[in-house]
Amino acid sequence: MKNISNSHPSDRLIFALDAGGYEEAVSWIDRLAGSVGMFKVGKELFTAVGPKIVEHIKGRNSRVFLDLKFHDIPNTVARAGEAAVGLSVDMFNVHAAGGSRMIRDTVDAAAVRAKQRGIACPVILAVTVLTSLNDGDLAEIGFEKRTGDLVLHLAKMAHRAGASGAVASPQDIAALRAHLPEDFVIVTPGIRSAAQPVKDDQKRTLSAGEAIAAGADYIVVGRPIRQARDPLAACRQITEEIAAGLAARRRT
Ligand code: C5P
């Protein structure tokens, strides 16, 4: 995947393609292809319509983040990673809790398959702790660490195992930036405009500019674009905020 540091600010904007079906997804792709850097295809859409949605995005010369959060025995996830490379996705993710061998085997298998196909290896992200889980939920599952400590622990482990980066909530960006190398990729959802009062089910949010200034490399945005009166204008506004966030980062 091309180096993000020299690219246009809109390349850092990932649109969450949380559409109900194929036709709806395609109409969003055709509408936004020139205005966002990547389309995130998640479990719901992929399970409903399958790989053809990825093929449609790639056919439009756009990039794909396959958000299927693989978590299984190492061999199974490694084969799934190879299949993701077979679809030419630009980014995919695995649950860090699957363990370092699962991550390592997947990173290695994806790299081999990408080399065979003569394409760049996708960015492989680790999901640390789902933001739907709090300290009480972690204790119930049997994890002894508190949320923030577990996020950092899993991110470091994933990095050592070869993951390119992590999905990080707005409140975790600073800790990851402080403890992981600069080239560790951070992708952050939970983005809402400072001016937008409605925060729907996202509780701890940052604006696009704040997340980028704090060190996120990419931001994931869904409803603030999908539900905007003018979605293209919303993309432009977010891209401007990303540019401002990058400028703020350079000043510090
Ligand atoms: O509509 P909204 O901007 O909230 O969409 C954010 C996207 O990022 C959704 O696809 C959501 O599932 C995903 N996501 C999230 N928070 C996480 C991880 C993923 O909102 N912690």
Side-chain angles (χ1 to χ4, degrees):
M1 211 166 97
K2 70 182 170 181
N3 182 353
I4 189 78
S5 57
N6 307 320
S7 62
H8 191 268
S10 66
D11 286 344
R12 297 171 182 270
L13 172 55
I14 302 177
F15 177 65
L17 192 55
D18 296 327
Y22 185 72
E23 302 302 330
E24 188 193 342
V26 162
S27 84
W28 279 112
I29 295 159
D30 294 349
R31 200 164 170 195
L32 300 182
S35 304
V36 302
M38 219 179 297
F39 290 95
K40 181 172 87 65
V41 175
K43 284 193 173 94
E44 204 181 320
L45 181 61
F46 194 81
T47 304
V49 308
K52 66 182 177 185
I53 196 64
V54 173
E55 286 154 12
H56 184 83
I57 299 168
K58 297 304 296 185
R60 295 283 323 235
N61 250 336
S62 287
R63 294 187 292 156
V64 177
F65 170 14
L66 189 64
D67 179 20
L68 297 183
K69 301 184 180 69
F70 298 134
H71 188 174
D72 211 311
I73 59 170
N75 182 61
T76 300
V77 176
R79 301 291 82 78
E82 286 174 347
V85 175
L87 288 175
S88 305
V89 307
D90 300 275
M91 191 180 265
F92 72 90
N93 53 8
V94 302
H95 268 287
S100 60
R101 197 177 133 216
M102 184 200 81
I103 297 170
R104 170 62 62 198
D105 288 2
T106 305
V107 168
D108 290 348
V112 169
R113 180 56 60 89
K115 195 161 176 223
Q116 284 166 349
R117 298 198 62 216
I119 60 173
C121 191
V123 168
I124 301 175
L125 301 171
V127 175
T128 57
V129 180
L130 294 171
T131 47
S132 50
L133 301 176
N134 61 23
D135 290 341
D137 298 316
L138 292 185
E140 183 189 48
I141 298 167
F143 286 115
E144 284 170 7
K145 289 190 190 309
R146 294 171 68 87
T147 316
D149 295 336
L150 187 58
V151 166
L152 195 53
H153 173 82
L154 288 171
K156 285 181 179 170
M157 184 270 286
H159 174 253
R160 283 196 302 273
S164 341
V167 180
S169 68
Q171 67 270 26
D172 293 324
I173 301 172
L176 294 191
R177 271 288 158 255
H179 292 97
L180 283 141
E182 215 182 317
D183 63 356
F184 192 72
V185 175
I186 295 182
V187 176
T188 300
I191 301 298
R192 293 296 178 268
S193 155
Q196 189 191 335
V198 182
K199 297 210 194 299
D200 31 66
D201 56 353
Q202 297 284 13
K203 293 199 176 64
R204 290 175 294 267
T205 64
L206 282 185
S207 73
E210 288 167 338
I212 294 289
D217 294 298
Y218 297 87
I219 52 165
V220 178
V221 184
R223 284 162 291 182
I225 294 174
R226 225 169 33 246
Q227 295 174 354
R229 220 172 329 118
D230 182 347
L232 289 176
C235 291
R236 279 194 299 275
Q237 164 73 32
I238 294 167
T239 298
E240 278 170 27
E241 275 198 44
I242 292 173
L246 289 168
R249 209 200 273 182
R250 281 192 292 271
R251 282 196 298 272
T252 55

